[in-house]
Amino acid sequence: AACTRPFAEGSIVPEAGLSLYGRNRVTVSYALTDRTVALFADRELFADEARLEPLARIEPPPSRELFYGDRLSFDRGSSVWFQQHDRMREATCEAGAYPTAAGEGAPARSARITGNTVAYLQWSVPVYDGIALS
C-alpha cells in the first residue's frame, strides 16, 4: 500500500486475494508568463550586473516527475540583468508560480499536484529602484 515495491511484469499472481496498488506519475514543466516574455523581448540578458555572463535566454527549471498528490514548492529563480536607458536593471523572479501564461492573481507558493501541470514563472522589475526625482 505504500507503493515502495513495484509489481514485476510477468509475475505469477497467486489465486488467493492479491491487492495491487497503483501510483500515477505526473510531470510538472515550467514556462514563462506572457509579461516576462514581453519584458525580455529584444533585450540582451546577463546573469550579473557587470555583464560578464551573457544569457541567450531565461531557462526555466527542468521538468520534474512526481506522483499524483505530491506537494511541490515553487522557489524563487535567479535574477536577470539587462540594459535600459544607459543603465543596468535587475529583474527578479517572483516567488511562486501561476497556473496560466497570463500570470493573473497571486502566485502559488506551493501546490498539490494532481495531474500533468505547467507552472508559469514571472520576472519583474521593481517599480521603485532607488532613484528619486525632486
Side-chain angles (χ1 to χ4, degrees), residues 1-4 21-26 66-70:
C3 292
T4 58
Y21 299 91
R23 193 163 193 198
N24 295 332
R25 293 181 190 269
V26 294
L66 304 168
F67 290 107
Y68 179 95
D70 283 351

Side-chain angles (χ1 to χ4, degrees), residues 26 66-74 108 110-115 117:
V26 294
L66 304 168
F67 290 107
Y68 179 95
D70 283 351
R71 183 160 283 284
L72 179 62
S73 294
F74 302 107
S110 67
R112 186 171 165 263
I113 308 300
T114 58
T117 303

Side-chain angles (χ1 to χ4, degrees), residues 21-78:
Y21 299 91
R23 193 163 193 198
N24 295 332
R25 293 181 190 269
V26 294
T27 301
V28 177
S29 56
Y30 297 89
L32 306 179
T33 62
D34 294 340
R35 255 185 359 172
T36 298
V37 171
L39 175 65
F40 297 134
D42 302 324
R43 294 187 194 262
E44 192 175 7
L45 303 176
F46 300 91
D48 60 333
E49 186 175 10
R51 297 190 273 189
L52 298 175
E53 193 176 333
L55 300 172
R57 63 186 180 103
I58 292 180
E59 290 291 335
S63 297
R64 295 182 62 182
E65 194 170 273
L66 304 168
F67 290 107
Y68 179 95
D70 283 351
R71 183 160 283 284
L72 179 62
S73 294
F74 302 107
D75 297 326
R76 183 184 302 269
S78 302

